[in-house]
Every structure is written in C-alpha cells, then in structure tokens.
Amino acid sequence: MSDKLFRLDAGFQQYDWGKLGSTSAVAKYAAHSDPSVKIAEDKPYAELWMGTHTNVPSYRHDDKASLRDLISSNPKEFLGEDVIKKFQSTTELPFLFKVLSIRKVLSIQAHPDKALGKILRAQDPKNYPDDNHKPEMAIAVTDFEGLCGFKPLEEIADELKRIPELKAIVGDEIAESFIKNIKPHAVKGSSEDSENKKLLQSVFGKVMNASEPTIAENARLLVKRAETKPEDFNKPDLPQLIIDLNKQFPDDVGLFCGCLLLNHCKLNAGEAIFLRAKDPHAYINGDIIECMAASDNVVRAGFTPKFKDVKNLVDMLTYAYDPVEEQKMKTDAVPKSSGAGRSVCFNPPIEEFAIIQTTFAESTGTRHFEGLDGPSILITTSGNGYISSEGTKLKAEPGFVFFVAPNTAVDLEALDTDFVTYRAFVEAN
Ligand SMILES: [Zn+2]
C-alpha cells in the first residue's frame, strides 16, 4: 500500500435541494465507487465531500484510515513543509473539494473576506462561527445555471423602467436617481465607478429592507407578469426563471434581489466561475465540481428560511457589475505535464486551491504529470482509465477519488475518450 497515491472513500450529504436518485451525479459516483451504497430513487443526493473536514471526512479505501488522521500522523509527508508553514495546520487540507448535484436553488449568499470575517465573528459568533474567508469555484460537470454578481447597470436601469413591481419596491426617487445618474462606461476604480456602486447599493438596500408584505404583494404581481406578459422582460429566459424559482420559494425577496438584480449565469459542461469574496451568488441547478477554502462564513440574502443579516450584507458587497461573460474563468496551461490528452488549469486569484482538468477527447493514451509541491485530490467524473505512480497502478472509474502526496509524479492512462478527471491541489509557491 503506497502512501504517495491511494484511493479515498468520500462521504455524501443528502440535503433537500439535491438531485433525486440516479439523476444525481453525487449518487452515481457514491454508488459506483462503493457498491454497498444503494441509490433510493426518491431521495436527494446533494454533495460528495473530498477532504479532511470533520463533518464528512474521507477515508483511505484500503484500510479505512481517515485522511485527517493520516495527515496528522505525518504532516510533512502528506502536506509538505511549505504548505504546513503557509497555512499553519498539521491536520487538514487548506481546501475542501466537492461534487454538488443541485435540483433546487440554494440561498442567495455572499462570503466575507478575511478582514470582514474577523469582525463578524467578534460581533456575532453564533451566526459567524469562523473567521476565515471562503472563496469558491464551480466547474460545470453538466449544464449549470446560477446567479452570479450584479447585472450591468444599464440592464438594471432598463428593468426599473419595464417592471413596475421592481420600481414599486425601490421607490420612485431612488429608481429615477439610478436611471438618471449611472455611468455605465465608467473606468473601473474611477470616482464615477464608485458613484455607480453607491447607486447600485441604494437600489439593493431598498429591496433588502422592504417589508415582507410589500415583497409578497409585488412578487405575486411579478409572477403574474412573467406568466401573462413575458415580453415585458428584457431577457427571454427571465420570465421562466421567475416562475420556476417562485414555485420553490413563493413570494420571496430573491425574485427581486436575485432574478432581477443578479446575472443569470449559464455554464456549459467544462466551464467555470470563481466567486470572489463579497460577490452575491446562488446555484440554481446542475452538477458541478466545487472547491472552496475550509470555512462556513455565509451571509444570506434570499431563497432561504435561514437568518438574513441584511445590514451587514448591504454594507459588505463589492457592487461590481460585470457582464456574466467576464465572470467566467479563463484557463491556464499546466506546466510539467506532457503526453496524450489535454490538461488545463482553473487557477483562481487565491492561495488555497486550483483545479486541473484532464480530458482525452481526441485520443486515448497516457499523460504524465511531474510532482506538485503540495497535496492534491483527484476525482474521475467520466470514462475509464488508470492512475499510477512508482509501481502503484489503480483503476480510475466514475466517482473514484484519489489522494496524491506532495512531490509525487503521476500518470493518467485513458482507456476511452470519455475519460475525464479533476484534480484539486494547493501549492505553497
Ligand atoms: Zn457561496
């Protein structure tokens, strides 16, 4: 049994919003990698967790030792000295790697950065249990829909003109001021840009602070408009989105602060978004690979029965207003890798993680990877192949998860052109 490369058993969570039965990638991966898991077709399978989080720890497949215990017993070998120094932990990975299968919208939320995380925790430890930041990245495994960042300003201005229910909530004064004063082509970081953000904050703040009866009354009119006058909306997919999400969360403020103010983001399989600190977002449906820093710091805005901290939320957001195409991630080349297939790296502007996607759509064969200086976790999402290193050769099938120790070269061998893997890693340098 190698300590450099080994299979992991990953646990799963059955939250209510998960896809049902075998329509869920999480269920398929869990059942294929562990034949004792029998899929119940009427039960939700929401999240597969790969890592050292104590809620759902991963175990070494061969001897059922927990990855957390393995790391704690020999952190230098499993994390590497540089990663230990950088992240100040000898027990856990700096990232949590997941598969999510989403059937129902998750709450509209934003995550504080490190500085704000510390302040919130000091003020309200019950709602903010830790002070870390929580950058998140999502790569679509199937087609994915979400809400991500504020819409461009002229689009919101257009909605204030077209949709009386939004204007009724925002009020004539703030609506007119927004329409009249925005400078959609302001240079980022300029004083015009910061005035734009203040105008956007005033609109969002008004929506978030509206009374429940006001929201409910206007939500019903908005849904009626979506059903009977879809041409009133400035995007063809918006009426159906409103109708669908209202079925999941009737009369919710999320119809306004989410559907009308945030970008409706659609990803094709293989595309990714990085969710910056303090940017509002919500997942609507699809199967995704998600990676995040280990944290539970969430401030919620809508589509949730949970606590909404409206004041902190309205104060904290960046109010960036980029079109959705700009929120999608670009990929980098993967250095120190060669051979068959194709590897690209999704590398967000944070230290805790990046993800390498490897595909073999053109031809089967073997691709070689030099060692990375930190630990990594790899999952096969489709097709069949092998992963090998220094005499260890392991079958890689859908849902099979592997740990790769620092400074360990590996080969991925594709047996078919469907073979796809995702590898989350952290590097100290
Ligand atoms: Zn989030």
Side-chain angles (χ1 to χ4, degrees):
M1 191 164 60
S2 164
D3 271 348
K4 295 287 193 186
L5 165 67
F6 49 84
R7 239 186 99 183
L8 288 174
D9 293 339
F12 58 89
Q13 300 266 37
Q14 296 193 279
Y15 305 130
D16 175 60
W17 50 261
K19 284 193 183 177
L20 299 177
S22 49
T23 65
S24 161
V26 168
K28 280 189 274 190
Y29 294 161
H32 189 75
S33 59
D34 177 359
S36 76
V37 173
K38 298 283 177 256
I39 300 175
E41 292 300 336
D42 58 342
K43 292 277 181 329
Y45 294 81
E47 299 193 352
L48 189 78
W49 288 33
M50 300 168 277
T52 48
H53 199 290
T54 48
N55 288 5
V56 187
S58 298
Y59 297 91
R60 180 155 62 184
H61 181 74
D62 292 339
D63 61 357
K64 310 301 172 203
S66 90
L67 181 59
R68 198 181 172 88
D69 290 346
L70 289 168
I71 288 175
S72 307
S73 69
N74 195 348
K76 277 185 195 169
E77 177 167 356
F78 288 105
L79 296 176
E81 283 188 63
D82 294 341
V83 168
I84 294 170
K85 210 179 293 165
K86 189 168 188 179
F87 297 99
Q88 299 290 311
S89 173
T90 53
T91 54
E92 58 190 23
L93 299 170
F95 61 82
L96 179 59
F97 197 25
K98 292 182 179 178
V99 178
L100 269 60
S101 293
I102 304 147
R103 173 178 55 104
K104 285 207 259 184
V105 65
L106 277 71
S107 52
I108 301 172
Q109 56 188 253
H111 308 291
D113 58 14
K114 282 183 187 170
L116 181 61
K118 283 199 171 55
I119 295 168
L120 292 178
R121 186 184 181 185
Q123 286 172 351
D124 184 357
K126 188 173 144 270
N127 284 302
Y128 302 105
D130 70 78
D131 60 9
N132 199 7
H133 69 161
K134 193 193 183 198
E136 293 171 330
M137 182 166 93
I139 307 174
V141 175
T142 59
D143 291 349
F144 164 84
E145 258 185 277
L147 300 169
C148 177
F150 286 100
K151 294 178 183 182
L153 301 176
E154 57 274 47
E155 216 175 301
I156 294 174
D158 187 40
E159 284 175 332
L160 285 167
K161 292 181 208 160
R162 287 163 168 267
I163 312 293
E165 295 77 25
L166 180 61
K167 195 170 180 187
I169 291 172
V170 171
D172 288 349
E173 197 183 329
I174 287 177
E176 298 301 341
S177 165
F178 183 89
I179 292 166
K180 193 166 117 233
N181 294 315
I182 51 164
K183 307 269 188 314
H185 304 293
V187 175
K188 272 187 194 162
S190 67
S191 60
E192 286 186 334
D193 181 45
S194 65
E195 284 306 312
N196 280 341
K197 289 178 174 175
K198 278 186 201 141
L199 291 163
L200 182 53
Q201 183 178 32
S202 67
V203 168
F204 182 75
K206 211 57 203 285
V207 170
M208 292 313 300
N209 284 294
S211 71
E212 255 178 62
T214 302
I215 293 292
E217 184 193 330
N218 284 289
R220 283 171 207 149
L221 295 170
L222 180 74
V223 172
K224 183 121 216 225
R225 186 177 301 283
E227 286 166 347
T228 57
K229 294 173 128 186
E231 68 280 5
D232 286 0
F233 294 82
N234 59 12
K235 288 273 168 80
D237 50 355
L238 204 44
Q240 195 59 48
L241 181 70
I242 288 167
I243 292 164
D244 290 347
L245 295 189
N246 186 64
K247 280 187 192 133
Q248 298 177 18
F249 282 91
D251 303 343
D252 195 273
V253 67
L255 297 179
F256 296 96
C257 72
C259 301
L260 293 183
L261 298 186
L262 304 185
N263 285 306
H264 185 202
C265 172
K266 292 177 178 176
L267 299 181
N268 298 316
E271 290 185 318
I273 43 171
F274 176 64
L275 304 161
R276 293 169 297 197
K278 306 181 183 180
D279 266 359
H281 58 273
Y283 298 152
I284 298 174
N285 64 56
D287 299 295
I288 58 173
I289 292 279
E290 189 188 50
C291 203
M292 65 185 69
S295 167
D296 284 319
N297 253 328
V298 183
V299 185
R300 293 180 181 82
F303 298 136
T304 178
K306 292 185 186 162
F307 168 68
K308 281 182 239 175
D309 184 349
V310 169
K311 183 172 182 317
N312 274 315
L313 180 78
V314 173
D315 285 349
M316 76 185 254
L317 299 180
T318 59
Y319 296 100
Y321 45 88
D322 299 318
V324 70
E325 284 310 313
E326 281 176 38
Q327 316 227 5
K328 291 186 187 173
M329 291 188 76
K330 314 236 175 338
T331 54
D332 296 339
V334 178
K336 298 188 278 183
S337 164
S338 59
R342 180 169 185 264
S343 289
V344 294
C345 184
F346 295 94
N347 191 8
I350 44 114
E351 296 177 324
E352 282 83 355
F353 57 80
I355 294 180
I356 296 171
Q357 175 208 55
T358 302
T359 53
F360 292 84
E362 313 273 287
S363 73
T364 58
T366 300
R367 187 168 188 84
H368 177 75
F369 298 83
E370 294 294 310
L372 302 169
D373 72 16
S376 59
I377 290 183
L378 180 143
I379 180 168
T380 306
T381 54
S382 70
N384 288 283
Y386 289 99
I387 181 169
S388 56
S389 176
E390 295 167 20
T392 302
K393 184 170 181 178
L394 303 170
K395 196 77 206 300
E397 297 177 12
F400 284 26
V401 179
F402 304 91
F403 179 82
V404 184
N407 306 309
T408 304
V410 293
D411 288 304
L412 287 173
E413 181 187 345
L415 295 176
D416 57 53
T417 51
D418 290 335
F419 190 50
V420 176
T421 66
Y422 289 91
R423 180 181 184 186
F425 67 99
V426 55
E427 282 205 293
N429 303 307

